[in-house]
Amino acid sequence: MDVLVVSDAFPKDPREGFAMAFDPNDPKVMPVAMNTEVFLKKLREGSTFVLEAIEDGKILCGDGHFIEEVRETFSQVRKRFKRVGKVWKWD
């Protein structure tokens, strides 16, 4: 199971974030760790992974201001895409 974790505690390099978040005692959980700057950049660029994580995922906790920024940005970026099942298409 993939888990997207966004935190300023992670470095910009996702590989380093993975190394920090991965628990070898629970290898069934595969973390995708991003700092907020990288996450917002990928969202603005239309990363379908990030779009799907927001659309299908669950927010477990977070700063209210950041969550609101993500929702506003998502609503703007999402308009550029059409989703058919699990396939994302650009309009």
Side-chain angles (χ1 to χ4, degrees):
M1 160 180 36
D2 288 344
V3 176
L4 176 59
V5 184
V6 180
S7 171
D8 284 330
F10 295 122
K12 288 185 179 180
D13 186 335
R15 296 169 296 188
E16 292 176 24
F18 174 82
M20 291 172 65
F22 180 70
D23 180 358
N25 295 319
D26 192 5
K28 293 179 185 173
V29 176
M30 296 302 292
V32 177
M34 296 180 201
N35 74 14
T36 56
E37 184 181 330
V38 171
F39 175 80
L40 288 171
K41 180 178 182 268
K42 288 186 175 293
L43 173 59
R44 289 182 188 111
E45 291 172 349
S47 163
T48 54
F49 173 77
V50 170
L51 292 171
E52 192 168 320
I54 294 169
E55 193 161 292
D56 295 343
K58 305 231 183 315
I59 297 173
L60 300 178
C61 66
D63 172 81
H65 174 74
F66 177 71
I67 291 172
E68 186 57 34
E69 182 178 357
V70 169
R71 285 186 178 139
E72 288 175 13
T73 305
F74 174 77
S75 69
Q76 294 301 312
V77 173
R78 181 66 174 87
K79 293 174 187 175
R80 301 189 329 234
F81 294 86
K82 179 177 172 182
R83 187 173 180 190
V84 181
K86 291 279 186 181
V87 177
W88 292 81
K89 298 180 180 186
W90 292 261
D91 281 339

